[in-house]
Amino acid sequence: IITLDDPHDLRGSMISAINHSDHHRDSVFNGIPPSMVKEFYAACKLWDSLLNDEANILWNKSQPGDILCFNNRRVLHGRSGFELTHGDKRKLIGTYLRWDEIRSMARIKAAAILPEWLI
């Protein structure tokens, strides 16, 4: 779940990546030796308490027409529950973009506007 720059230095190493999804935790759990199960669950409990601490949460109530864009690798995100009332409708559309495509398109557009920048 948490990848360190130096996995041999648990206290001094910087975190290089965090991959978290409760729905996929069982696939992570398959690689844990039985001797570390209790420590794994203790770490999960601590992680969950950090994630759900209001000091670490930013709430945003979207309005019709709002667009929310973020880097899926840099922002831990989720949604709270909701209820439709009075015939309301809800439509949520998600998409994924690859950074190489975004950077390529930006270079193409920049070259069209400023051809002298083309390298």
Side-chain angles (χ1 to χ4, degrees):
I1 296 174
I2 298 176
T3 305
L4 301 175
D5 286 335
D6 180 1
H8 302 291
D9 182 8
L10 299 179
R11 300 239 182 247
S13 182
M14 299 293 290
I15 294 172
S16 59
I18 298 175
N19 294 305
H20 174 76
S21 172
D22 271 340
H23 306 295
H24 299 107
R25 188 168 59 190
D26 60 340
S27 62
V28 173
F29 191 72
N30 289 335
I32 296 175
S35 62
M36 294 185 66
V37 170
K38 285 185 181 181
E39 289 86 356
F40 177 77
Y41 277 112
C44 285
K45 184 176 180 179
L46 173 60
W47 179 242
D48 187 68
S49 69
L50 291 170
L51 292 179
N52 291 294
D53 184 331
E54 285 294 326
N56 299 323
I57 297 174
L58 174 66
W59 289 100
N60 176 58
K61 181 151 178 76
S62 299
Q63 300 299 319
D66 282 355
I67 296 175
L68 177 63
C69 299
F70 52 87
N71 184 333
N72 212 28
R73 294 293 208 170
R74 300 202 41 99
V75 176
L76 183 62
H77 58 281
R79 294 178 291 278
S80 61
F82 68 96
E83 287 187 30
L84 295 177
T85 57
H86 309 295
D88 289 341
K89 294 180 181 178
R90 179 177 190 243
K91 185 173 185 178
L92 179 65
I93 300 172
T95 189
Y96 293 91
L97 301 172
R98 292 191 300 264
W99 280 107
D100 59 334
E101 292 177 359
I102 294 169
R103 289 182 184 109
S104 176
M105 183 60 70
R107 283 191 301 269
I108 290 168
K109 296 292 185 185
I113 297 169
L114 302 164
E116 65 274 10
W117 285 17
L118 187 60
I119 296 174

PDB file of all heavy atoms in Angstrom, residues 35-65:
ATOM      1  N   SER A  35       3.040 -14.162   9.834  1.00  0.00           N
ATOM      2  CA  SER A  35       3.671 -13.533  11.001  1.00  0.00           C
ATOM      3  C   SER A  35       3.457 -12.018  11.047  1.00  0.00           C
ATOM      4  O   SER A  35       3.655 -11.395  12.086  1.00  0.00           O
ATOM      5  CB  SER A  35       5.175 -13.835  11.008  1.00  0.00           C
ATOM      6  OG  SER A  35       5.782 -13.291   9.845  1.00  0.00           O
ATOM      7  N   MET A  36       3.026 -11.411   9.935  1.00  0.00           N
ATOM      8  CA  MET A  36       2.846  -9.960   9.887  1.00  0.00           C
ATOM      9  C   MET A  36       1.382  -9.532   9.809  1.00  0.00           C
ATOM     10  O   MET A  36       1.095  -8.342   9.667  1.00  0.00           O
ATOM     11  CB  MET A  36       3.614  -9.384   8.699  1.00  0.00           C
ATOM     12  CG  MET A  36       5.114  -9.525   8.819  1.00  0.00           C
ATOM     13  SD  MET A  36       5.983  -8.697   7.467  1.00  0.00           S
ATOM     14  CE  MET A  36       5.585  -6.997   7.790  1.00  0.00           C
ATOM     15  N   VAL A  37       0.450 -10.470   9.927  1.00  0.00           N
ATOM     16  CA  VAL A  37      -0.970 -10.147   9.787  1.00  0.00           C
ATOM     17  C   VAL A  37      -1.427  -9.136  10.841  1.00  0.00           C
ATOM     18  O   VAL A  37      -2.106  -8.159  10.527  1.00  0.00           O
ATOM     19  CB  VAL A  37      -1.833 -11.421   9.810  1.00  0.00           C
ATOM     20  CG1 VAL A  37      -3.303 -11.086   9.917  1.00  0.00           C
ATOM     21  CG2 VAL A  37      -1.562 -12.253   8.567  1.00  0.00           C
ATOM     22  N   LYS A  38      -1.045  -9.346  12.106  1.00  0.00           N
ATOM     23  CA  LYS A  38      -1.461  -8.407  13.161  1.00  0.00           C
ATOM     24  C   LYS A  38      -0.904  -7.010  12.905  1.00  0.00           C
ATOM     25  O   LYS A  38      -1.619  -6.020  13.066  1.00  0.00           O
ATOM     26  CB  LYS A  38      -1.022  -8.919  14.533  1.00  0.00           C
ATOM     27  CG  LYS A  38      -1.859 -10.055  15.041  1.00  0.00           C
ATOM     28  CD  LYS A  38      -1.461 -10.443  16.451  1.00  0.00           C
ATOM     29  CE  LYS A  38      -2.309 -11.601  16.936  1.00  0.00           C
ATOM     30  NZ  LYS A  38      -1.972 -11.988  18.301  1.00  0.00           N
ATOM     31  N   GLU A  39       0.357  -6.928  12.509  1.00  0.00           N
ATOM     32  CA  GLU A  39       0.956  -5.625  12.214  1.00  0.00           C
ATOM     33  C   GLU A  39       0.267  -4.968  11.021  1.00  0.00           C
ATOM     34  O   GLU A  39       0.075  -3.757  10.996  1.00  0.00           O
ATOM     35  CB  GLU A  39       2.459  -5.777  11.943  1.00  0.00           C
ATOM     36  CG  GLU A  39       3.286  -6.101  13.166  1.00  0.00           C
ATOM     37  CD  GLU A  39       3.359  -7.594  13.460  1.00  0.00           C
ATOM     38  OE1 GLU A  39       2.702  -8.388  12.753  1.00  0.00           O
ATOM     39  OE2 GLU A  39       4.074  -7.964  14.403  1.00  0.00           O
ATOM     40  N   PHE A  40      -0.100  -5.777  10.029  1.00  0.00           N
ATOM     41  CA  PHE A  40      -0.792  -5.253   8.858  1.00  0.00           C
ATOM     42  C   PHE A  40      -2.122  -4.617   9.264  1.00  0.00           C
ATOM     43  O   PHE A  40      -2.434  -3.490   8.862  1.00  0.00           O
ATOM     44  CB  PHE A  40      -1.030  -6.363   7.835  1.00  0.00           C
ATOM     45  CG  PHE A  40      -1.814  -5.919   6.627  1.00  0.00           C
ATOM     46  CD1 PHE A  40      -1.215  -5.186   5.626  1.00  0.00           C
ATOM     47  CD2 PHE A  40      -3.158  -6.238   6.504  1.00  0.00           C
ATOM     48  CE1 PHE A  40      -1.937  -4.774   4.514  1.00  0.00           C
ATOM     49  CE2 PHE A  40      -3.888  -5.826   5.398  1.00  0.00           C
ATOM     50  CZ  PHE A  40      -3.273  -5.092   4.400  1.00  0.00           C
ATOM     51  N   TYR A  41      -2.896  -5.328  10.096  1.00  0.00           N
ATOM     52  CA  TYR A  41      -4.182  -4.781  10.522  1.00  0.00           C
ATOM     53  C   TYR A  41      -4.011  -3.558  11.419  1.00  0.00           C
ATOM     54  O   TYR A  41      -4.805  -2.616  11.352  1.00  0.00           O
ATOM     55  CB  TYR A  41      -5.041  -5.850  11.193  1.00  0.00           C
ATOM     56  CG  TYR A  41      -5.779  -6.696  10.195  1.00  0.00           C
ATOM     57  CD1 TYR A  41      -5.466  -8.035  10.011  1.00  0.00           C
ATOM     58  CD2 TYR A  41      -6.792  -6.147   9.415  1.00  0.00           C
ATOM     59  CE1 TYR A  41      -6.146  -8.801   9.075  1.00  0.00           C
ATOM     60  CE2 TYR A  41      -7.475  -6.903   8.484  1.00  0.00           C
ATOM     61  CZ  TYR A  41      -7.148  -8.229   8.324  1.00  0.00           C
ATOM     62  OH  TYR A  41      -7.817  -8.977   7.400  1.00  0.00           O
ATOM     63  N   ALA A  42      -2.969  -3.531  12.234  1.00  0.00           N
ATOM     64  CA  ALA A  42      -2.707  -2.350  13.061  1.00  0.00           C
ATOM     65  C   ALA A  42      -2.375  -1.155  12.166  1.00  0.00           C
ATOM     66  O   ALA A  42      -2.848  -0.038  12.396  1.00  0.00           O
ATOM     67  CB  ALA A  42      -1.562  -2.632  14.036  1.00  0.00           C
ATOM     68  N   ALA A  43      -1.574  -1.401  11.132  1.00  0.00           N
ATOM     69  CA  ALA A  43      -1.236  -0.328  10.194  1.00  0.00           C
ATOM     70  C   ALA A  43      -2.474   0.146   9.436  1.00  0.00           C
ATOM     71  O   ALA A  43      -2.662   1.345   9.216  1.00  0.00           O
ATOM     72  CB  ALA A  43      -0.151  -0.806   9.226  1.00  0.00           C
ATOM     73  N   CYS A  44      -3.337  -0.797   9.041  1.00  0.00           N
ATOM     74  CA  CYS A  44      -4.583  -0.427   8.344  1.00  0.00           C
ATOM     75  C   CYS A  44      -5.478   0.425   9.234  1.00  0.00           C
ATOM     76  O   CYS A  44      -6.084   1.393   8.766  1.00  0.00           O
ATOM     77  CB  CYS A  44      -5.336  -1.681   7.907  1.00  0.00           C
ATOM     78  SG  CYS A  44      -4.620  -2.520   6.494  1.00  0.00           S
ATOM     79  N   LYS A  45      -5.537   0.092  10.503  1.00  0.00           N
ATOM     80  CA  LYS A  45      -6.371   0.857  11.444  1.00  0.00           C
ATOM     81  C   LYS A  45      -5.815   2.280  11.595  1.00  0.00           C
ATOM     82  O   LYS A  45      -6.577   3.251  11.579  1.00  0.00           O
ATOM     83  CB  LYS A  45      -6.418   0.149  12.795  1.00  0.00           C
ATOM     84  CG  LYS A  45      -7.322   0.812  13.792  1.00  0.00           C
ATOM     85  CD  LYS A  45      -7.401   0.010  15.082  1.00  0.00           C
ATOM     86  CE  LYS A  45      -8.321   0.693  16.075  1.00  0.00           C
ATOM     87  NZ  LYS A  45      -8.429  -0.058  17.325  1.00  0.00           N
ATOM     88  N   LEU A  46      -4.497   2.395  11.721  1.00  0.00           N
ATOM     89  CA  LEU A  46      -3.876   3.716  11.819  1.00  0.00           C
ATOM     90  C   LEU A  46      -4.117   4.510  10.534  1.00  0.00           C
ATOM     91  O   LEU A  46      -4.490   5.683  10.573  1.00  0.00           O
ATOM     92  CB  LEU A  46      -2.378   3.584  12.089  1.00  0.00           C
ATOM     93  CG  LEU A  46      -1.579   4.886  12.059  1.00  0.00           C
ATOM     94  CD1 LEU A  46      -2.082   5.868  13.110  1.00  0.00           C
ATOM     95  CD2 LEU A  46      -0.091   4.596  12.249  1.00  0.00           C
ATOM     96  N   TRP A  47      -3.903   3.877   9.391  1.00  0.00           N
ATOM     97  CA  TRP A  47      -4.112   4.527   8.091  1.00  0.00           C
ATOM     98  C   TRP A  47      -5.552   5.023   7.967  1.00  0.00           C
ATOM     99  O   TRP A  47      -5.804   6.152   7.554  1.00  0.00           O
ATOM    100  CB  TRP A  47      -3.750   3.550   6.985  1.00  0.00           C
ATOM    101  CG  TRP A  47      -3.926   4.055   5.587  1.00  0.00           C
ATOM    102  CD1 TRP A  47      -4.759   3.551   4.640  1.00  0.00           C
ATOM    103  CD2 TRP A  47      -3.256   5.146   4.964  1.00  0.00           C
ATOM    104  NE1 TRP A  47      -4.646   4.261   3.472  1.00  0.00           N
ATOM    105  CE2 TRP A  47      -3.735   5.247   3.644  1.00  0.00           C
ATOM    106  CE3 TRP A  47      -2.302   6.056   5.399  1.00  0.00           C
ATOM    107  CZ2 TRP A  47      -3.289   6.219   2.760  1.00  0.00           C
ATOM    108  CZ3 TRP A  47      -1.859   7.033   4.503  1.00  0.00           C
ATOM    109  CH2 TRP A  47      -2.350   7.096   3.212  1.00  0.00           C
ATOM    110  N   ASP A  48      -6.510   4.183   8.341  1.00  0.00           N
ATOM    111  CA  ASP A  48      -7.920   4.559   8.274  1.00  0.00           C
ATOM    112  C   ASP A  48      -8.223   5.749   9.184  1.00  0.00           C
ATOM    113  O   ASP A  48      -8.967   6.650   8.796  1.00  0.00           O
ATOM    114  CB  ASP A  48      -8.796   3.359   8.641  1.00  0.00           C
ATOM    115  CG  ASP A  48     -10.259   3.643   8.424  1.00  0.00           C
ATOM    116  OD1 ASP A  48     -10.667   3.788   7.252  1.00  0.00           O
ATOM    117  OD2 ASP A  48     -11.001   3.752   9.428  1.00  0.00           O
ATOM    118  N   SER A  49      -7.627   5.759  10.366  1.00  0.00           N
ATOM    119  CA  SER A  49      -7.879   6.891  11.269  1.00  0.00           C
ATOM    120  C   SER A  49      -7.302   8.184  10.703  1.00  0.00           C
ATOM    121  O   SER A  49      -7.896   9.252  10.844  1.00  0.00           O
ATOM    122  CB  SER A  49      -7.326   6.608  12.666  1.00  0.00           C
ATOM    123  OG  SER A  49      -5.921   6.589  12.660  1.00  0.00           O
ATOM    124  N   LEU A  50      -6.144   8.107  10.036  1.00  0.00           N
ATOM    125  CA  LEU A  50      -5.574   9.295   9.400  1.00  0.00           C
ATOM    126  C   LEU A  50      -6.436   9.773   8.234  1.00  0.00           C
ATOM    127  O   LEU A  50      -6.670  10.969   8.067  1.00  0.00           O
ATOM    128  CB  LEU A  50      -4.153   9.003   8.906  1.00  0.00           C
ATOM    129  CG  LEU A  50      -3.101   8.783   9.988  1.00  0.00           C
ATOM    130  CD1 LEU A  50      -1.814   8.255   9.373  1.00  0.00           C
ATOM    131  CD2 LEU A  50      -2.855  10.057  10.771  1.00  0.00           C
ATOM    132  N   LEU A  51      -6.905   8.831   7.428  1.00  0.00           N
ATOM    133  CA  LEU A  51      -7.737   9.194   6.277  1.00  0.00           C
ATOM    134  C   LEU A  51      -9.047   9.838   6.682  1.00  0.00           C
ATOM    135  O   LEU A  51      -9.559  10.722   6.001  1.00  0.00           O
ATOM    136  CB  LEU A  51      -8.042   7.960   5.421  1.00  0.00           C
ATOM    137  CG  LEU A  51      -6.883   7.332   4.674  1.00  0.00           C
ATOM    138  CD1 LEU A  51      -7.372   6.116   3.901  1.00  0.00           C
ATOM    139  CD2 LEU A  51      -6.233   8.330   3.744  1.00  0.00           C
ATOM    140  N   ASN A  52      -9.612   9.390   7.777  1.00  0.00           N
ATOM    141  CA  ASN A  52     -10.935   9.864   8.185  1.00  0.00           C
ATOM    142  C   ASN A  52     -10.900  10.966   9.231  1.00  0.00           C
ATOM    143  O   ASN A  52     -11.953  11.385   9.712  1.00  0.00           O
ATOM    144  CB  ASN A  52     -11.782   8.684   8.659  1.00  0.00           C
ATOM    145  CG  ASN A  52     -12.138   7.779   7.507  1.00  0.00           C
ATOM    146  OD1 ASN A  52     -12.869   8.178   6.611  1.00  0.00           O
ATOM    147  ND2 ASN A  52     -11.588   6.574   7.493  1.00  0.00           N
ATOM    148  N   ASP A  53      -9.732  11.451   9.559  1.00  0.00           N
ATOM    149  CA  ASP A  53      -9.606  12.574  10.479  1.00  0.00           C
ATOM    150  C   ASP A  53     -10.034  13.839   9.737  1.00  0.00           C
ATOM    151  O   ASP A  53      -9.513  14.151   8.660  1.00  0.00           O
ATOM    152  CB  ASP A  53      -8.154  12.688  10.945  1.00  0.00           C
ATOM    153  CG  ASP A  53      -7.943  13.780  11.977  1.00  0.00           C
ATOM    154  OD1 ASP A  53      -8.684  14.796  11.974  1.00  0.00           O
ATOM    155  OD2 ASP A  53      -7.025  13.630  12.799  1.00  0.00           O
ATOM    156  N   GLU A  54     -10.979  14.581  10.280  1.00  0.00           N
ATOM    157  CA  GLU A  54     -11.501  15.783   9.615  1.00  0.00           C
ATOM    158  C   GLU A  54     -10.403  16.788   9.271  1.00  0.00           C
ATOM    159  O   GLU A  54     -10.542  17.558   8.325  1.00  0.00           O
ATOM    160  CB  GLU A  54     -12.585  16.458  10.464  1.00  0.00           C
ATOM    161  CG  GLU A  54     -13.923  15.739  10.443  1.00  0.00           C
ATOM    162  CD  GLU A  54     -14.599  15.757   9.070  1.00  0.00           C
ATOM    163  OE1 GLU A  54     -14.459  16.742   8.323  1.00  0.00           O
ATOM    164  OE2 GLU A  54     -15.264  14.762   8.739  1.00  0.00           O
ATOM    165  N   ALA A  55      -9.298  16.761  10.017  1.00  0.00           N
ATOM    166  CA  ALA A  55      -8.189  17.682   9.722  1.00  0.00           C
ATOM    167  C   ALA A  55      -7.540  17.361   8.373  1.00  0.00           C
ATOM    168  O   ALA A  55      -6.867  18.213   7.799  1.00  0.00           O
ATOM    169  CB  ALA A  55      -7.143  17.610  10.835  1.00  0.00           C
ATOM    170  N   ASN A  56      -7.754  16.149   7.872  1.00  0.00           N
ATOM    171  CA  ASN A  56      -7.136  15.721   6.615  1.00  0.00           C
ATOM    172  C   ASN A  56      -8.124  15.649   5.455  1.00  0.00           C
ATOM    173  O   ASN A  56      -7.787  15.144   4.391  1.00  0.00           O
ATOM    174  CB  ASN A  56      -6.485  14.345   6.802  1.00  0.00           C
ATOM    175  CG  ASN A  56      -5.410  14.378   7.848  1.00  0.00           C
ATOM    176  OD1 ASN A  56      -4.680  15.350   7.955  1.00  0.00           O
ATOM    177  ND2 ASN A  56      -5.303  13.325   8.627  1.00  0.00           N
ATOM    178  N   ILE A  57      -9.332  16.139   5.658  1.00  0.00           N
ATOM    179  CA  ILE A  57     -10.385  16.004   4.653  1.00  0.00           C
ATOM    180  C   ILE A  57     -10.786  17.379   4.124  1.00  0.00           C
ATOM    181  O   ILE A  57     -10.964  18.325   4.881  1.00  0.00           O
ATOM    182  CB  ILE A  57     -11.622  15.289   5.229  1.00  0.00           C
ATOM    183  CG1 ILE A  57     -11.256  13.865   5.643  1.00  0.00           C
ATOM    184  CG2 ILE A  57     -12.764  15.283   4.230  1.00  0.00           C
ATOM    185  CD1 ILE A  57     -12.377  13.125   6.361  1.00  0.00           C
ATOM    186  N   LEU A  58     -10.932  17.456   2.829  1.00  0.00           N
ATOM    187  CA  LEU A  58     -11.445  18.653   2.171  1.00  0.00           C
ATOM    188  C   LEU A  58     -12.750  18.260   1.492  1.00  0.00           C
ATOM    189  O   LEU A  58     -12.759  17.380   0.633  1.00  0.00           O
ATOM    190  CB  LEU A  58     -10.442  19.173   1.139  1.00  0.00           C
ATOM    191  CG  LEU A  58     -10.903  20.338   0.275  1.00  0.00           C
ATOM    192  CD1 LEU A  58     -11.117  21.582   1.128  1.00  0.00           C
ATOM    193  CD2 LEU A  58      -9.897  20.604  -0.819  1.00  0.00           C
ATOM    194  N   TRP A  59     -13.855  18.867   1.896  1.00  0.00           N
ATOM    195  CA  TRP A  59     -15.161  18.565   1.305  1.00  0.00           C
ATOM    196  C   TRP A  59     -15.470  19.581   0.209  1.00  0.00           C
ATOM    197  O   TRP A  59     -15.177  20.763   0.341  1.00  0.00           O
ATOM    198  CB  TRP A  59     -16.265  18.623   2.363  1.00  0.00           C
ATOM    199  CG  TRP A  59     -16.192  17.479   3.321  1.00  0.00           C
ATOM    200  CD1 TRP A  59     -15.653  17.507   4.578  1.00  0.00           C
ATOM    201  CD2 TRP A  59     -16.675  16.158   3.109  1.00  0.00           C
ATOM    202  NE1 TRP A  59     -15.757  16.262   5.149  1.00  0.00           N
ATOM    203  CE2 TRP A  59     -16.384  15.419   4.281  1.00  0.00           C
ATOM    204  CE3 TRP A  59     -17.301  15.516   2.053  1.00  0.00           C
ATOM    205  CZ2 TRP A  59     -16.714  14.074   4.408  1.00  0.00           C
ATOM    206  CZ3 TRP A  59     -17.632  14.179   2.197  1.00  0.00           C
ATOM    207  CH2 TRP A  59     -17.346  13.477   3.359  1.00  0.00           C
ATOM    208  N   ASN A  60     -16.094  19.118  -0.842  1.00  0.00           N
ATOM    209  CA  ASN A  60     -16.518  19.982  -1.938  1.00  0.00           C
ATOM    210  C   ASN A  60     -17.895  19.527  -2.390  1.00  0.00           C
ATOM    211  O   ASN A  60     -18.068  18.369  -2.761  1.00  0.00           O
ATOM    212  CB  ASN A  60     -15.525  19.885  -3.107  1.00  0.00           C
ATOM    213  CG  ASN A  60     -15.985  20.703  -4.295  1.00  0.00           C
ATOM    214  OD1 ASN A  60     -16.178  21.901  -4.177  1.00  0.00           O
ATOM    215  ND2 ASN A  60     -16.164  20.052  -5.427  1.00  0.00           N
ATOM    216  N   LYS A  61     -18.866  20.413  -2.344  1.00  0.00           N
ATOM    217  CA  LYS A  61     -20.199  20.080  -2.839  1.00  0.00           C
ATOM    218  C   LYS A  61     -20.312  20.585  -4.264  1.00  0.00           C
ATOM    219  O   LYS A  61     -20.284  21.780  -4.528  1.00  0.00           O
ATOM    220  CB  LYS A  61     -21.289  20.694  -1.980  1.00  0.00           C
ATOM    221  CG  LYS A  61     -22.677  20.344  -2.475  1.00  0.00           C
ATOM    222  CD  LYS A  61     -23.669  20.328  -1.345  1.00  0.00           C
ATOM    223  CE  LYS A  61     -25.063  20.026  -1.823  1.00  0.00           C
ATOM    224  NZ  LYS A  61     -25.299  18.649  -2.153  1.00  0.00           N
ATOM    225  N   SER A  62     -20.387  19.662  -5.185  1.00  0.00           N
ATOM    226  CA  SER A  62     -20.468  20.016  -6.598  1.00  0.00           C
ATOM    227  C   SER A  62     -21.852  20.553  -6.942  1.00  0.00           C
ATOM    228  O   SER A  62     -22.848  20.172  -6.337  1.00  0.00           O
ATOM    229  CB  SER A  62     -20.182  18.796  -7.463  1.00  0.00           C
ATOM    230  OG  SER A  62     -18.891  18.320  -7.210  1.00  0.00           O
ATOM    231  N   GLN A  63     -21.856  21.414  -7.927  1.00  0.00           N
ATOM    232  CA  GLN A  63     -23.090  21.974  -8.449  1.00  0.00           C
ATOM    233  C   GLN A  63     -23.258  21.498  -9.882  1.00  0.00           C
ATOM    234  O   GLN A  63     -22.287  21.113 -10.530  1.00  0.00           O
ATOM    235  CB  GLN A  63     -23.046  23.507  -8.396  1.00  0.00           C
ATOM    236  CG  GLN A  63     -22.863  24.068  -7.003  1.00  0.00           C
ATOM    237  CD  GLN A  63     -24.003  23.688  -6.072  1.00  0.00           C
ATOM    238  OE1 GLN A  63     -25.165  23.706  -6.462  1.00  0.00           O
ATOM    239  NE2 GLN A  63     -23.670  23.332  -4.837  1.00  0.00           N
ATOM    240  N   PRO A  64     -24.469  21.514 -10.424  1.00  0.00           N
ATOM    241  CA  PRO A  64     -24.662  21.106 -11.822  1.00  0.00           C
ATOM    242  C   PRO A  64     -23.712  21.859 -12.755  1.00  0.00           C
ATOM    243  O   PRO A  64     -23.555  23.077 -12.647  1.00  0.00           O
ATOM    244  CB  PRO A  64     -26.119  21.482 -12.100  1.00  0.00           C
ATOM    245  CG  PRO A  64     -26.781  21.412 -10.764  1.00  0.00           C
ATOM    246  CD  PRO A  64     -25.732  21.899  -9.776  1.00  0.00           C
ATOM    247  N   GLY A  65     -23.049  21.113 -13.604  1.00  0.00           N
ATOM    248  CA  GLY A  65     -22.121  21.691 -14.560  1.00  0.00           C
ATOM    249  C   GLY A  65     -20.689  21.777 -14.066  1.00  0.00           C
ATOM    250  O   GLY A  65     -19.788  22.112 -14.831  1.00  0.00           O
TER     251      GLY A  65
END
